[in-house]
């Protein structure tokens, strides 16, 4: 009888131990969802410019993840094998290979981690652009002080891709007409934050450059999504997007520098040969309304100068505004 009772006690203890092991980190509780969004997006970055990725990871299970780690290798250009270089991140550090690791500690049930990583595209003003050729992926790990199981490692179903925008004079027209970057600092005096192909010709009738004023960032949002879009065959329009901090182009809320007393400086170089015969640029429009002395005094929306150059056949228009938007003349 005593021997039977002892066997029953051992069996009961084994069941309790097994139940505790399952409750402490069962496979059913290790449910997470990673996301990765390129900024600006849809993903497209010019050679030599920055592209950012906003990454999130949600704990969709019912238990706390004891130690969450994020890893991201440098995105790669699939057509050339080149890799992007690390610029900044809202967490962690990079190793000798340029890969980023961030440690987050515990993540409660239904909790979400969010971070931003900024990478610089390869230089190459004379290189051709390519579509969906920058590939990026991430890995989120749950480290429970033991060997990682298959259900404790989370990657995306497939890499997130982005375009690499070429700006050379021989680039196809559709790539000459746009530029994209994630700006982490204001424009240097006399420089530009972002620009399209500056080789103005009848087939590339508009060249746009944008100079951003000083702006603030946060620990997670490290810069501003910025894009330029011109229209094929149209020498009279250019559209600029500068998204508000934490937003994305083109759909996000626009940045407004008026609250800090700053303005964006826009420069448009226009081929006279691509304009209607004898056409003279005398007026400029922003967001569908004419820019006048009144808009300049009230909203810092100004025409700084309109200058034709008979020798080069290029008009140069310089404007300022507190926000982005479409411009035409």
């Amino acid at each position: 009888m005593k021997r039977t009772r002892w066997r029953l006690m051992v069996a009961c203890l084994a069941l309790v131990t097994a139940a505790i092991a399952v409750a402490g980190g069962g496979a059913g509780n290790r449910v997470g969802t990673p996301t990765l969004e390129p900024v600006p997006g849809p993903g497209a970055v010019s050679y030599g410019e920055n592209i950012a990725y906003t990454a999130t990871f949600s704990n969709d299970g019912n238990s706390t993840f004891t130690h969450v780690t994020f890893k991201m290798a440098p995105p790669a250009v699939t057509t050339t094998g080149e890799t992007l270089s690390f610029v900044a991140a809202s967490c962690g550090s990079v190793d000798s290979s340029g890969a980023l690791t961030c440690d987050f500690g515990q993540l409660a049930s239904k909790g979400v981690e969010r971070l931003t990583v900024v990478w610089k595209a390869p230089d190459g003003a004379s290189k051709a652009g390519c579509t969906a050729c920058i590939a990026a992926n991430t890995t989120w790990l749950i480290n429970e002080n033991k060997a990682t199981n298959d259900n404790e490692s989370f990657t995306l179903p497939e890499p997130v891709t982005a375009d690499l925008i070429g700006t050379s004079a021989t680039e196809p027209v559709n790539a000459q007409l746009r530029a994209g970057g994630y700006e982490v600092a204001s424009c240097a005096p006399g420089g530009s934050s972002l620009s399209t192909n500056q080789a103005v010709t009848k087939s590339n009738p508009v060249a746009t450059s944008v100079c951003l004023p000083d702006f603030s960032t946060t620990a997670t949002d490290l810069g501003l999504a910025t894009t330029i879009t011109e229209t094929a065959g149209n020498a009279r329009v250019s559209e600029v997007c500068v998204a508000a901090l934490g937003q994305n182009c083109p759909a996000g809320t626009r940045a407004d520098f008026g609250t800090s007393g700053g303005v964006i400086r826009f420069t448009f170089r226009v081929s006279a040969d691509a304009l209607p015969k004898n056409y003279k640029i005398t007026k400029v429009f922003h967001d569908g309304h004419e820019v006048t002395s009144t808009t300049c005094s009230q909203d810092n929306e100004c025409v700084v100068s309109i200058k034709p150059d008979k020798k080069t056949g290029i008009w140069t228009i310089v404007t300022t505004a507190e926000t982005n938007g479409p411009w035409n003349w």
Side-chain angles (χ1 to χ4, degrees):
M1 180 67 71
K2 289 183 178 180
R3 182 176 297 177
T4 301
R5 289 178 179 176
W6 173 251
R7 287 175 178 173
L8 287 171
M9 289 177 64
V10 171
C12 288
L13 284 171
L15 287 172
V16 171
T17 302
I20 292 173
V22 171
N29 289 329
R30 297 179 188 132
V31 183
T33 303
T35 69
L36 190 67
E37 180 186 17
V39 186
V45 60
S46 302
Y47 275 103
E49 290 288 336
N50 297 332
I51 185 170
Y53 293 88
T54 299
T56 67
F57 181 61
S58 61
N59 179 351
D60 304 327
N62 297 321
S63 65
T64 296
F65 295 159
T66 58
H67 185 186
V68 173
T69 302
F70 169 85
K71 294 182 178 292
M72 184 177 188
V77 183
T78 57
T79 53
T80 64
E82 297 173 285
T83 57
L84 280 65
S85 56
F86 177 78
V87 176
S90 58
C91 61
S93 59
V94 294
D95 58 23
S96 58
S97 70
L100 174 70
T101 298
C102 297
D103 291 322
F104 287 102
Q106 290 188 341
L107 180 59
S109 172
K110 312 309 178 186
V112 179
E113 294 290 359
R114 179 178 179 270
L115 64 103
T116 299
V117 191
V118 185
W119 304 90
K120 182 177 181 292
D123 291 323
S126 61
K127 294 180 181 178
C130 49
T131 303
C133 56
I134 299 177
N137 210 332
T138 61
T139 300
W140 292 86
L141 301 169
I142 304 172
N143 182 355
E144 297 186 343
N145 297 317
K146 55 181 173 44
T148 300
N149 297 321
D150 289 342
N151 65 340
E152 296 173 340
S153 178
F154 300 83
T155 59
L156 301 171
E158 57 186 28
V160 170
T161 61
D163 297 349
L164 187 54
I165 304 172
T167 57
S168 68
T170 58
E171 191 67 16
V173 171
N174 62 346
Q176 289 186 11
L177 299 174
R178 59 178 180 158
Y182 186 79
E183 304 306 320
V184 296
S186 60
C187 176
S192 68
S193 301
L194 185 69
S195 62
T196 56
N197 181 10
Q198 295 294 295
V200 176
T201 63
K202 190 173 183 179
S203 61
N204 183 43
V206 178
T208 306
S209 62
V210 179
C211 183
L212 300 185
D214 291 335
F215 57 88
S216 300
T217 59
T218 68
T220 304
D221 297 310
L222 308 179
L224 301 178
T226 307
T227 61
I228 302 171
T229 306
E230 297 159 357
T231 303
N234 192 332
R236 298 176 57 186
V237 65
S238 179
E239 184 163 357
V240 178
C241 172
V242 184
L245 197 67
Q247 299 288 312
N248 206 350
C249 284
T253 303
R254 64 171 65 182
D256 187 342
F257 297 96
T259 56
S260 60
V263 292
I264 311 171
R265 186 179 180 91
F266 306 84
T267 302
F268 309 99
R269 302 176 70 242
V270 183
S271 169
D273 291 339
L275 293 169
K277 188 176 181 180
N278 298 323
Y279 185 86
K280 294 183 178 180
I281 301 174
T282 59
K283 296 180 180 181
V284 178
F285 299 83
H286 182 223
D287 280 339
H289 61 263
E290 185 179 354
V291 180
T292 64
S293 58
T294 300
T295 64
C296 187
S297 61
Q298 292 181 351
D299 302 314
N300 290 323
E301 194 177 60
C302 310
V303 175
V304 177
S305 62
I306 302 175
K307 296 181 180 179
D309 187 324
K310 293 182 179 180
K311 184 176 181 180
T312 62
I314 295 174
W315 289 81
T316 300
I317 306 166
V318 180
T319 63
T320 62
E322 296 175 353
T323 62
N324 59 205
W327 292 85
N328 60 290
W329 40 84

